[in-house]
Amino acid sequence: MGNIQRNKVKDVLSGAVAVGSEVLLKGWVRTKRGNKHVAFIALNDGSIIHNIQIVADLQQFSDEQLKAVTTGACISAKGKLVDSPAQGQPVEVQLSSIEILGEADAETYPLQKKGHSLEFLREIAHLRPRTNTFGAIFRLRHAMAFAIHQFFNDRGFVYLHTPIITGSDAEGAGAMFKVTTLDLHNIPKKPDGSVDHEQDFFGKATNLTVSGQLEGELGAMALGEVYTFGPTFRAENSNTTRHLAEFWMIEPEVAFNELQENMDLAEDFLKYLIQYALEHCAPDLEFLCQQYDKELLSRLNFVVNNAFQRLPYTEAVEILKASKQKFEYKVEWGTDLQSEHERYLVEKHFEKPVILTDYPKDIKAFYMKQNADGKTVRAMDVLFPGIGEIIGGSQREEGYDKLLARVKEMGIPEEEIWWYLETRKFGTAPHSGFGLGFERLMLFVTGMSNIRDVIPFPRFPKSADF
Ligand code: 4AD
Ligand code: MG
């Protein structure tokens, strides 16, 4: 094949490679069609949503040589880049030599036809990245991850790596995955019958983390502005289109920020990310817009260009109680809002993203700063159209006595979080932060409707394949 370097389809289509030059392409065959004289091979290499057309002259290539060029096969093709007479593509390649790197049996390759359902594609998550849809989603996911680091780096935040195995339960949610090396068939017990975790790997009970926040706060109390971006795990049995058992979360934590600045940061952050997608991922967004959600681009632009509505939980409850909408769950002050309520506020009432603040303390985590009313805390949830809650955060309680009282009230074992409490003893400061669910962001940016379609290999109840 000669020793020229592989060209990416993206570069070849974008004009970065001069017409007339020899190119070497490697990728997966999407389709092969043709007539008596020529065969047209549509090749995709993942670098861009579009395929490149490779034209094989059948006087030069026999049926035998092209027999293995079937949908799904991996090939290496060399040829001359020429202007394409066909519509919708600037250039094509005149095949001069071809090598089959990997055949794909036409009888059994599952992605033969176009238009497979998303449900079916979930069952073949090992192959679905080869579809236009999932190629677009995973390129967008990469772009968003990159933009997240860019955003914080530009603002002087430090990326703090918080632990994945933890002995504490940050959210008090109680739905954690246990981490143990104990023999499940022969669990060591203490005299009182409880599990003897002293014999376990860490000498204590440990779990997979539900959030990096508590450790993030430790970092903020030294480095000023930090963020985490890592996997988090929740064992709650929520079989919904918006929950995963393993998801990624971005958690900035900022010393000296109060709730107002926390909201500003969250709004700037989301707008930056969406703007980034619009600027850098146009071909993928256009494809998703066309295929799945005609409103996608206008919705993304709308969010970038409009201020979010900010209001206290208490006012939101009044709006919901006064509305004529029939909700499945009743709204009362003091109850957690369901996603139907959140979406009503965003999609029907305000028709824009909403930030709700000052929730009742009893439905929020122990670490949130208590308001003077004794009933509410300085919480903030950012609610998005089609999604509901995309961000949850708060100003943190920085007073040692108040925090300790809340820890005791909520029955949180002090010995698990002594180190967290100590930040309030030694040089405490007002500070705030929030958590953005990465896959919730991806739902919004891609316009997909099931969270299992925006992460390569989703984990949810009864499912951990691949
Ligand atoms: O509201 P949550 O539980 O907040 C925290 O964990 C805080 N420690 C964050 C902080 O203040 N640093 O979760 C934050 C976000 C939610 O708004 C949602 O977007 C996402 O994480 N999230 C999930 N995403 C997918 N699957 C799940 N099971 C999720 N649970 C929460
Ligand atoms: Mg929340």
Side-chain angles (χ1 to χ4, degrees), residues 32 58 61-68:
K32 184 181 71 177
L58 295 185
F61 294 93
S62 66
D63 279 356
E64 191 57 28
Q65 277 175 296
L66 298 181
K67 200 177 63 188

mmCIF file of all heavy atoms in Angstrom, residues 32 58 61-68:
data_model
loop_
_atom_site.group_PDB
_atom_site.id
_atom_site.type_symbol
_atom_site.label_atom_id
_atom_site.label_comp_id
_atom_site.label_asym_id
_atom_site.label_seq_id
_atom_site.Cartn_x
_atom_site.Cartn_y
_atom_site.Cartn_z
ATOM 1 N N LYS A 32 -22.349 -0.468 -0.057
ATOM 2 C CA LYS A 32 -21.725 -0.602 -1.375
ATOM 3 C C LYS A 32 -22.861 -0.789 -2.379
ATOM 4 O O LYS A 32 -23.760 -1.591 -2.166
ATOM 5 C CB LYS A 32 -20.796 -1.823 -1.425
ATOM 6 C CG LYS A 32 -20.056 -1.916 -2.779
ATOM 7 C CD LYS A 32 -19.155 -3.137 -2.866
ATOM 8 C CE LYS A 32 -19.965 -4.407 -2.972
ATOM 9 N NZ LYS A 32 -19.119 -5.617 -3.129
ATOM 10 N N LEU A 58 -14.869 -1.021 -12.426
ATOM 11 C CA LEU A 58 -14.954 -2.485 -12.479
ATOM 12 C C LEU A 58 -14.121 -3.093 -13.607
ATOM 13 O O LEU A 58 -13.998 -4.312 -13.714
ATOM 14 C CB LEU A 58 -16.416 -2.933 -12.554
ATOM 15 C CG LEU A 58 -17.234 -2.579 -11.298
ATOM 16 C CD1 LEU A 58 -18.636 -3.141 -11.369
ATOM 17 C CD2 LEU A 58 -16.548 -3.028 -10.015
ATOM 18 N N PHE A 61 -11.144 -3.520 -11.080
ATOM 19 C CA PHE A 61 -11.375 -4.400 -9.915
ATOM 20 C C PHE A 61 -12.444 -5.433 -10.254
ATOM 21 O O PHE A 61 -13.518 -5.084 -10.748
ATOM 22 C CB PHE A 61 -11.822 -3.575 -8.705
ATOM 23 C CG PHE A 61 -10.764 -2.648 -8.199
ATOM 24 C CD1 PHE A 61 -10.718 -1.328 -8.648
ATOM 25 C CD2 PHE A 61 -9.790 -3.077 -7.294
ATOM 26 C CE1 PHE A 61 -9.734 -0.456 -8.200
ATOM 27 C CE2 PHE A 61 -8.808 -2.210 -6.847
ATOM 28 C CZ PHE A 61 -8.775 -0.900 -7.300
ATOM 29 N N SER A 62 -12.134 -6.676 -9.967
ATOM 30 C CA SER A 62 -13.086 -7.753 -10.269
ATOM 31 C C SER A 62 -14.092 -7.884 -9.128
ATOM 32 O O SER A 62 -13.851 -7.414 -8.010
ATOM 33 C CB SER A 62 -12.336 -9.069 -10.429
ATOM 34 O OG SER A 62 -11.770 -9.420 -9.172
ATOM 35 N N ASP A 63 -15.207 -8.521 -9.418
ATOM 36 C CA ASP A 63 -16.197 -8.835 -8.387
ATOM 37 C C ASP A 63 -15.550 -9.564 -7.223
ATOM 38 O O ASP A 63 -15.854 -9.328 -6.057
ATOM 39 C CB ASP A 63 -17.301 -9.731 -8.968
ATOM 40 C CG ASP A 63 -18.316 -8.912 -9.737
ATOM 41 O OD1 ASP A 63 -18.185 -7.664 -9.738
ATOM 42 O OD2 ASP A 63 -19.211 -9.523 -10.358
ATOM 43 N N GLU A 64 -14.657 -10.471 -7.585
ATOM 44 C CA GLU A 64 -13.957 -11.271 -6.588
ATOM 45 C C GLU A 64 -13.196 -10.378 -5.594
ATOM 46 O O GLU A 64 -13.262 -10.576 -4.379
ATOM 47 C CB GLU A 64 -12.994 -12.227 -7.335
ATOM 48 C CG GLU A 64 -12.373 -13.309 -6.487
ATOM 49 C CD GLU A 64 -13.402 -14.202 -5.778
ATOM 50 O OE1 GLU A 64 -14.535 -14.359 -6.307
ATOM 51 O OE2 GLU A 64 -13.091 -14.696 -4.684
ATOM 52 N N GLN A 65 -12.521 -9.352 -6.147
ATOM 53 C CA GLN A 65 -11.733 -8.448 -5.289
ATOM 54 C C GLN A 65 -12.614 -7.618 -4.362
ATOM 55 O O GLN A 65 -12.194 -7.233 -3.284
ATOM 56 C CB GLN A 65 -10.910 -7.492 -6.161
ATOM 57 C CG GLN A 65 -9.599 -8.063 -6.660
ATOM 58 C CD GLN A 65 -8.944 -7.071 -7.603
ATOM 59 O OE1 GLN A 65 -9.491 -6.776 -8.677
ATOM 60 N NE2 GLN A 65 -7.804 -6.531 -7.192
ATOM 61 N N LEU A 66 -13.839 -7.322 -4.825
ATOM 62 C CA LEU A 66 -14.714 -6.434 -4.044
ATOM 63 C C LEU A 66 -15.757 -7.205 -3.242
ATOM 64 O O LEU A 66 -16.575 -6.612 -2.545
ATOM 65 C CB LEU A 66 -15.420 -5.428 -4.974
ATOM 66 C CG LEU A 66 -14.505 -4.468 -5.734
ATOM 67 C CD1 LEU A 66 -15.338 -3.506 -6.593
ATOM 68 C CD2 LEU A 66 -13.624 -3.663 -4.778
ATOM 69 N N LYS A 67 -15.702 -8.536 -3.360
ATOM 70 C CA LYS A 67 -16.716 -9.373 -2.714
ATOM 71 C C LYS A 67 -16.804 -9.125 -1.205
ATOM 72 O O LYS A 67 -17.880 -9.062 -0.626
ATOM 73 C CB LYS A 67 -16.383 -10.849 -2.976
ATOM 74 C CG LYS A 67 -17.552 -11.792 -2.801
ATOM 75 C CD LYS A 67 -17.157 -13.217 -3.153
ATOM 76 C CE LYS A 67 -16.073 -13.685 -2.203
ATOM 77 N NZ LYS A 67 -15.467 -14.971 -2.539
ATOM 78 N N ALA A 68 -15.639 -8.958 -0.586
ATOM 79 C CA ALA A 68 -15.627 -8.803 0.885
ATOM 80 C C ALA A 68 -15.908 -7.356 1.323
ATOM 81 O O ALA A 68 -15.923 -7.051 2.513
ATOM 82 C CB ALA A 68 -14.298 -9.285 1.436
#
